[in-house]
Each structure stands twice: as structure tokens, then as C-alpha cells.
Amino acid sequence: LCWAAAGEIGGRRARRSGRARAESALTDSGFRAVERQGRHSVRDAYFALAHARGATSQRTDALRLAERLQGIARARFEAGDIPQLEVTQADLEVARAQGNVEVAQKEEKVALSDLNALLDDPARRAVMGANGRKRVDELFSWRAVAAQVAQVYEETIAEFAAAKKESARADR
């Protein structure tokens, strides 16, 4: 009878150890999830910046093309081949292309500032750190650990009482 009780205690100890390992794994997975979210945000900001830079380059190329066409239109107008309206349309296309380049440059600056904000924002780091600290305190403070240990003891006592009753029934 004494050996059986010692074996049960060892089994309970193994369950408690297993629970502790599982809780530790959950905490680690929570930290990994926060890290993944941070990396995901940085990755999104990086690719938004890359897209904005590509758009700026593309719109700059369109501006150069519009300027070349404007030069051609002016030369043909001076030669008398086309009316003034064609030159005015070319001027409008250059103005529109310049506006598009300016918008693209501003979008690129915004994307760069978003990426820098993610990488350099002490407030965001502080919030993430505070949330991490809060989670650690909730799971691993002395109060939390004491509550978990008390719960394990209560479960162990209940299991022992149930096993004792079952053993008494089996002896009858």
C-alpha cells in the first residue's frame, strides 16, 4: 500500500512537470507569435517601400518620355508640321507626369517613414515590452505560480481521495 502511494505521487509529479513544460511551451509560443507579428509588420513595410520606389522609378521614366515627346512636338510645331494644340497637349502631359512623379516621391517618403517608425519607435517597443512583461507577470509571478501549485495540490488531493475510495470499494 505504501509503495502504491509513492508511485501515485511520482505519477502526479510527472503530470505537474508535464503541465509546467506545457505552460512554458505556450509562453514561448506566445513570445514567438509576437516576434512573428513584428517581423510581418516590418516585412509589409519593407515591401511597401520597395513598391513605392518602383512606382517612383516608373513614373520618372514616364516623365522623361513625356519630356522627349514635348521636345519633338515643339520642334515639329516650329517646322510647321503640327498645330499649337499638339504642343499644348504635350505640355499638359509633361505637367501631369511631373505631378505623378511628385506624388510617387511623397508616397515613397511615407513608406520609408512607416518602415523607420517600425524599426525606430521607442514607444512601440515600450508597448510591446510592457505587454510581454504583463503576460510574464500573469503567468509566472509568485502569485500566479502559487495559484497554479495550489490548483495542482487540490487536484492531487481529490485524485488521491477518489483512488482511496475506489481502493476501499475494491477491498470489500
Side-chain angles (χ1 to χ4, degrees):
L1 185 65
C2 291
W3 181 79
E8 286 183 9
I9 290 172
R12 290 184 185 116
R13 186 174 294 149
R15 282 194 299 264
R16 283 196 313 261
S17 296
R19 286 182 188 161
R21 282 192 294 275
E23 289 175 4
S24 175
L26 284 174
T27 301
D28 290 344
S29 68
F31 288 137
R32 286 192 299 268
V34 170
E35 288 174 355
R36 276 193 308 271
Q37 288 172 345
R39 284 193 306 266
H40 181 73
S41 297
V42 170
R43 191 176 304 121
D44 284 349
Y46 172 79
F47 284 113
L49 175 61
H51 175 71
R53 285 184 174 164
T56 300
S57 174
Q58 194 175 38
R59 290 176 182 170
T60 301
D61 291 344
L63 173 61
R64 282 192 224 122
L65 181 60
E67 287 171 341
R68 284 180 51 201
L69 291 174
Q70 180 187 36
I72 292 170
R74 285 192 180 168
R76 289 186 65 201
F77 172 72
E78 289 172 4
D81 290 341
I82 59 172
Q84 176 68 33
L85 178 62
E86 297 291 328
V87 175
T88 304
Q89 286 178 338
D91 291 341
L92 287 174
E93 287 301 319
V94 168
R96 184 169 45 182
Q98 286 173 338
N100 288 341
V101 168
E102 289 173 11
V103 168
Q105 289 171 341
K106 301 255 189 253
E107 289 174 351
E108 185 177 339
K109 286 180 183 178
V110 167
L112 180 61
S113 68
D114 287 347
L115 179 60
N116 285 334
L118 284 173
L119 296 176
D120 296 333
D121 186 10
R124 181 180 171 112
R125 284 196 310 262
V127 167
M128 291 176 78
N131 289 341
R133 178 66 185 177
K134 180 181 173 189
R135 182 160 170 79
V136 167
D137 285 343
E138 288 172 358
L139 294 174
F140 299 110
S141 69
W142 285 113
R143 288 186 188 272
V145 171
Q148 291 169 1
V149 168
Q151 181 183 356
V152 168
Y153 281 145
E154 289 171 3
E155 290 172 3
T156 303
I157 291 168
E159 288 175 8
F160 182 73
K164 190 174 182 181
K165 284 181 183 178
E166 196 173 308
S167 175
R169 285 184 193 155
D171 287 341
R172 288 187 206 172

